[in-house]
Amino acid sequence: MNPDAPARATAGPPPATGAWREGDPPGHRKWHRRTRPTELEAGGVIPQVRLALETWGRLAPDRSNAVLVLHVLTGDSHVAGGAGPGHPTAGWWDALIGPGRALDTDRWFVVAPNVLSGCQGSTGPASAGPGGHPWGGSFPRLTQRDQVRAEAGLADALGVERWALVLGGSMGGMRALEWAVGQPGRVAALLLLACPAAASADQIAWATSQVHAIRADPHWRGGGYHDAGPGRGPHTGLGIARRVAHITYRSAGELEARFGHLAQEGERPWLGGRYGVESYLDRQAAKLVRRFDAAGYVALVEAMNTHGVGRGRGGTHAALGRVRARTVVAGVDSDRLHPLVQQDEPADGIPGADRVRVIRSPHGRDGFLLGADQVAALVRELLDGTPHRAGRHAP
């Protein structure tokens, strides 16, 4: 057993990294391994790649029933199921997967990989590099296209030539779109949630601010902190990054309705205590540092900044025109990170994508995670029926 593992469940100092590491309970994970070197778009090489994944249901004999679910920045392969050994949190889209649900596991074979650098069992900065020590800050730069190439290797290993559906939101949507543009013959249906065709200047600005916060932490040590003791990782920087990110994930209206100008119970902000919303963000930060890796966070944020389906493909319009999948594009009406208007470009550019669907939620970007019933309806529309045409941004 990894000696850091018990510390994650206590109130003491968090381990230097919240990454899953060798010796931790495997939980429901499986692994796909590629032993040949993987060349990356930015020029780096990963000698051996390992992707953690979870699956639900059974693959049909003709391999036609496979569905690929792609997670957000701080998500992982544990889409469905409870928290437990090896899984610090419950499934993040649990209501979507299972018998009788939108992704009915009596019918569909559902696959959810953890991305490279996702730190919950896949190769990344916290895993052993060529010399046997953690990669740390020397882990090569990734793009969304690198992630999709790794996932394509997983599909090959599973014998899946064509996904019945690929779906994801935010960072997961970026990868889903890359799948449909880069390998159009392998995606039958596509569901994009809160996903632009390219990262905007606003999104890059928020993202790089988080990266600077992590790198400014004195415990960052150039990314070489993974073998440090409990409490000696870049937790302050990662916590700040999480606070900043979480503000963009939720809406101003929700925060005002929940917290307003109220003080945290038992505290007086005018005497150095906290407001309620401060306490809320503190809790989000404290939870993340126990289950995530700061260097992995940096790698994924920088990979999100590279998102642009038109790069090297003749521009965005030409790239989107390559998609052959039946497609539904959806956004959240209160999303301030990926505003609803950003969904127009993929909806207009993907042949036959129809109008933008709207997920109505007060929760901001997280509305597509919390509004699983609305996402389920979109999944069923793609898997079981034909989209109805209506006016843009109609409910």
Side-chain angles (χ1 to χ4, degrees):
M1 178 71 68
N2 183 339
D4 279 347
R8 298 176 192 175
T10 72
T17 173
W20 185 95
R21 306 185 82 174
E22 293 291 346
D24 287 348
H28 298 289
R29 292 175 184 82
K30 305 172 185 178
W31 279 273
H32 161 67
R33 291 175 172 84
R34 175 187 167 93
T35 57
R36 291 176 295 171
T38 297
E39 296 184 0
L40 305 175
E41 188 180 7
V45 175
I46 304 177
Q48 297 185 48
V49 162
R50 179 179 70 176
L51 288 184
L53 67 144
E54 290 185 51
T55 65
W56 299 263
R58 291 189 177 185
L59 187 60
D62 64 359
R63 291 171 163 74
S64 64
N65 69 331
V67 172
L68 182 64
V69 179
L70 302 176
H71 66 75
V72 298
L73 170 62
T74 57
D76 55 33
S77 62
H78 194 53
V79 184
H87 300 296
T89 58
W92 49 272
W93 247 355
D94 188 72
L96 209 62
I97 297 173
R101 296 177 179 174
L103 292 175
D104 187 342
T105 49
D106 291 333
R107 177 183 178 190
W108 302 105
F109 176 63
V110 182
V111 180
N114 184 217
V115 288
L116 295 173
S117 290
C119 86
Q120 286 299 320
S122 293
T123 300
S127 55
H133 299 289
W135 280 92
S138 67
F139 194 75
R141 280 183 172 266
L142 297 170
T143 67
Q144 299 304 324
R145 297 180 193 184
D146 294 325
Q147 302 285 18
V148 169
R149 279 193 289 271
E151 290 163 356
L154 166 62
D156 293 342
L158 292 171
V160 175
E161 295 184 2
R162 191 170 187 239
W163 297 104
L165 171 66
V166 178
L167 71 154
S170 191
M171 188 184 81
M174 294 175 182
R175 287 150 56 211
L177 183 56
E178 273 293 336
W179 260 102
V181 170
Q183 307 203 39
R186 302 193 73 171
V187 182
L190 175 68
L191 177 55
L192 301 177
L193 302 166
C195 170
S200 70
D202 186 62
Q203 289 151 7
I204 293 170
W206 283 113
T208 53
S209 297
Q210 296 168 47
V211 169
H212 282 297
I214 293 171
R215 287 181 169 151
D217 190 312
H219 290 304
W220 169 248
R221 294 191 288 275
Y225 58 85
H226 290 89
D227 291 330
R232 298 190 59 79
H235 304 126
T236 298
L238 180 58
I240 293 171
R242 178 60 168 179
R243 289 173 177 89
V244 172
H246 200 75
I247 293 167
T248 70
Y249 299 158
R250 311 306 278 250
S251 72
E254 181 203 10
L255 295 179
E256 183 64 26
R258 290 179 64 181
F259 304 107
H261 194 249
L262 297 176
Q264 175 64 13
E265 185 177 356
E267 300 187 31
R268 292 184 287 181
W270 51 94
L271 293 178
R274 297 173 298 171
Y275 289 96
V277 70
E278 287 183 83
S279 175
Y280 169 69
L281 293 174
D282 287 348
R283 291 195 300 274
Q284 299 302 320
K287 288 190 293 186
L288 188 74
V289 300
R290 290 185 178 273
R291 69 172 183 86
F292 218 79
D293 178 58
Y297 191 98
V298 168
L300 293 181
V301 166
E302 292 184 333
M304 289 177 70
N305 287 346
T306 71
H307 173 61
V309 293
R311 186 179 69 254
R313 293 170 172 153
T316 299
H317 182 75
L320 293 173
R322 298 169 60 168
V323 177
R324 290 155 50 187
R326 300 188 315 278
T327 301
V328 168
V329 178
V332 183
D333 59 356
S334 58
D335 189 347
R336 57 180 170 183
L337 180 61
H338 305 293
L340 195 58
V341 68
Q342 289 187 355
Q343 320 316 312
D344 286 345
E345 188 170 31
D348 290 342
I350 294 175
D354 198 20
R355 60 184 171 88
V356 175
R357 303 300 199 278
V358 179
I359 295 171
R360 304 201 178 276
S361 170
H363 300 298
R365 188 222 66 166
D366 280 0
F368 73 79
L369 296 173
L370 300 173
D373 55 338
Q374 297 180 69
V375 175
L378 300 176
V379 170
R380 289 191 171 99
E381 178 180 326
L382 278 167
L383 291 177
D384 301 327
T386 302
H388 298 290
R389 298 196 172 275
R392 186 167 307 284
H393 293 180

